[in-house]
Amino acid sequence: MYRKIVGTEPPDSAHVTAWLKLLSERYSGLLEISEIGRSLMGRSIFSVHIGNSRRKALYCGGVHGREWITTLLMMNFLEDLLKSVSMGDRICEMDICRLLTTGGLTVIPALNPDGVEISINGDDISRLSNFLNDALIKELKSGEFRRRWKANARGVDINRNFNAGWDDMRVIAAERGITGPSPFGWTGKYPVSEPETRAVTELCEREDFRHLIAFHSSGEEIYWSYRQFTPPRAHIMAKILATSSGYSLNEPDIAASAAGLKDWFMERFNSPAFTVEVGNGESPLPLSSFPFLYNRLREMLVLGIAM
């Protein structure tokens, strides 16, 4: 009987590191694990690659701390892929061995491990005081405040730190009163100021990804366009993802679509990129919602490799 490695515990850094170690031991030769950077607090930012290395997609989870359910989604999907290849199983009636021969997948389970750690466990307040002001440190002593933290350890919203419409987003954030470290919404002092942002942008510059999907929560929506940089095939790909998941397609205004990973990828490479808002309700989504959420999205996750 198959014994699953990845559990359903909140995926803090210790769990993710342990799961990746066990996956590499059980499925040696089927995956390639790399450290693509380190967070502000020195935590490893990992990428995992499976399948064809020349024709591949990129999936990214854990961009926002309180949206750590996306890290759990990435880890469970990785294990299911590896199990399917090892045992010759299918996922949603699709031949995974054949799929990964023609296409590959790189996954970043948690781009913002410090934010995830803050949301789940609180992290080391004394170390965070090197980056955050006294008011935020005081607030972070509250469990509820920590739980809802989206930013990295410097109070920068990673998905507002990419070099695509960054100046516009900085103005919008300032109009909302966000001009410095914050649980959410601060763009940082300049584009790509954060080690987490640099880790993924440098990976994308080194590798030739066909498309990218960034996972967030919540809303059950798929964002697929970015200004004049939307490639023609992005819409049909988004329709496939939406039909499979039952999520709706959305074209956000500039306040919801600028300085994000999806936006930068589309502008930089003229290639499709998507933001998928998984689940419904206030983040962090409860662990009890994960089985339904994962079963609903498994087909979409496989199709994202095949497209």
Side-chain angles (χ1 to χ4, degrees), residues 239-266:
K239 286 182 177 180
I240 292 170
L241 297 176
T243 299
S244 173
S245 63
Y247 286 5
S248 61
L249 295 184
N250 206 329
E251 297 183 59
D253 59 25
I254 188 174
S257 183
L261 175 54
K262 168 187 73 70
D263 313 316
W264 170 80
F265 189 88
M266 297 179 87

Side-chain angles (χ1 to χ4, degrees), residues 26 30 95 127 210 290:
R26 180 178 288 183
L30 294 181
D95 186 334
R127 292 178 64 206
R210 291 180 294 118
F290 182 75

Side-chain angles (χ1 to χ4, degrees), residues 79-91 96-97:
E79 181 165 6
D80 277 2
L81 286 177
L82 290 164
K83 173 179 175 287
S84 295
V85 172
S86 177
M87 298 184 175
D89 294 342
R90 291 173 174 261
I91 298 178
I96 301 303
C97 289

Side-chain angles (χ1 to χ4, degrees), residues 64-68 115-123 139-151 183 282-287:
H64 286 144
R66 72 186 188 190
E67 297 172 17
W68 48 256
V116 169
E117 196 73 24
I118 290 169
S119 181
I120 294 173
N121 295 324
D123 214 335
E139 293 277 17
L140 277 171
K141 294 177 181 178
S142 160
E144 180 59 23
F145 189 85
R146 294 196 307 262
R147 197 173 73 91
R148 297 191 45 75
W149 186 270
K150 291 179 69 174
E282 192 172 282
S283 293
L285 298 178
L287 279 173

